[in-house]
């Protein structure tokens, strides 16, 4: 007969098997179920971040484009940020429609500001072109006016120059109101006591009549004419003792006239046509010219 082992000498595993009974010692019996693993609390996986960069960029560029467009000297720079604002804004709207972005209103505002910036740039460009064109047209018109005025002045001077050339016997009225007439030169025979006339020369007498057509007395500062032949050669003033020469000096009263008589000596080879120059004031009025056969 087998004796049971004392309690103190039993193996703990044997004790556990003995406690579980015969079923625990049966190798074909089902094993007891294992305890379930500990349960951990579940958290939702984070979703993708919204792609809002395009909308933000569109808004910033739109603001920059409009701001540059409102500055007169910088409007020509506004088209580039405004165009980029439209492009980025449209991309941002596309992202918002696909659910990839959450700032649809920001992207839309960028598009609107970009379009406004483009309109401002175009308007500024048109305004600048029109302004430059107006300035150029005004400058051209002013230049044309100056040219026309110069041409008119030249024509006037030419007409005045032509008007100052007269045949003997006609009158020319200077701007101060003195009306001057030079008669056709007449032969002059000096007496024996004569200066400025060489033997063999031809002497002529020139008569100058000055009439004051104004209401004020007018002075004749240079009452001595010059006489040239057709070749431009100057003749000499003849002075003799006959007392026939008379120089116009002093004042001419309104409605009155002064007559001067002058003798000149022409060389034998002088041209047949002579010219007489006369001005009542050579420093103020240009000479008038009378010409014709001697």
């Amino acid at each position: 007969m087998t004796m049971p082992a004392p309690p103190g000498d039993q193996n703990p595993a044997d004790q556990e098997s003995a406690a579980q009974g015969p079923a625990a010692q049966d190798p074909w019996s089902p094993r007891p179920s294992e305890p379930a693993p500990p349960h951990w609390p579940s958290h939702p996986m984070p979703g993708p971040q919204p792609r809002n960069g395009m909308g933000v960029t569109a808004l910033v560029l739109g603001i920059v484009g409009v701001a540059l467009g409102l500055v007169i000297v910088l409007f020509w720079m506004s088209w580039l940020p405004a165009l980029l604002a439209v492009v980025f804004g449209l991309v941002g709207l596309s992202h918002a429609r696909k659910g990839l972005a959450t700032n649809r209103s920001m992207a839309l505002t960028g598009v609107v500001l970009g379009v406004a910036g483009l309109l401002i740039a175009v308007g500024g460009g048109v305004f600048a072109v029109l302004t430059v064109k107006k300035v150029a047209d005004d400058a051209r018109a002013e230049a044309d006016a100056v040219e026309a005025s110069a041409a008119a002045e030249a024509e006037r001077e030419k007409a005045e120059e032509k008007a100052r050339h007269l045949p003997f016997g006609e009158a020319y009225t200077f701007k101060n109101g003195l009306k001057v007439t030079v008669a056709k030169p007449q032969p002059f025979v000096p007496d024996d006591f004569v200066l400025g006339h060489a033997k063999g020369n031809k002497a002529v007498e020139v008569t100058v009549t000055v009439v004051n057509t104004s209401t004020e007395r007018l002075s004749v500062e240079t009452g001595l004419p010059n006489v040239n032949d057709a070749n431009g050669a100057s003749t000499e003033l003849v002075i003799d003792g006959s007392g026939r020469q008379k120089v116009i000096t002093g004042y001419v009263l309104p409605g009155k006239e002064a007559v001067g008589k002058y003798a000149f000596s022409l060389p034998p080879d002088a041209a047949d046509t002579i010219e007489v120059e006369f001005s009542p004031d050579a420093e103020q009025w240009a000479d008038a010219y009378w010409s014709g056969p001697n």
Side-chain angles (χ1 to χ4, degrees), residues 38-99:
H39 177 72
W40 298 99
S42 62
H43 295 282
M45 295 296 293
Q49 294 295 326
R51 299 167 62 180
N52 294 334
M54 291 295 179
V56 174
T57 304
L59 180 61
V60 173
L61 290 175
I63 294 174
V64 172
V66 172
L68 291 176
L70 295 178
V71 181
I72 296 177
V73 296
L74 298 178
F75 72 91
W76 56 273
M77 299 174 58
S78 64
W79 69 271
L80 182 57
L83 179 61
L84 293 177
V86 173
V87 174
F88 286 122
L90 292 177
V91 175
L93 290 176
S94 176
H95 287 172
R97 283 194 299 269
K98 296 177 181 179

Side-chain angles (χ1 to χ4, degrees), residues 83-144:
L83 179 61
L84 293 177
V86 173
V87 174
F88 286 122
L90 292 177
V91 175
L93 290 176
S94 176
H95 287 172
R97 283 194 299 269
K98 296 177 181 179
L100 302 177
T102 60
N103 59 346
R104 180 180 181 280
S105 59
M106 187 177 295
L108 181 60
T109 304
V111 172
V112 173
L113 291 177
V115 172
L118 288 175
L119 293 177
I120 293 175
V122 173
V126 172
F127 175 77
V129 170
L130 294 178
T131 301
V132 172
K133 183 178 183 299
K134 184 178 183 303
V135 171
D137 291 343
D138 291 344
R140 188 179 300 108
E142 184 177 355
D144 292 341

Side-chain angles (χ1 to χ4, degrees), residues 254-278:
K256 301 299 182 178
E257 70 175 22
V259 179
K261 293 183 178 291
Y262 314 89
F264 292 89
S265 177
L266 282 72
D269 59 348
D272 294 335
T273 300
I274 63 174
E275 181 181 70
V276 178
E277 307 176 32
F278 182 82

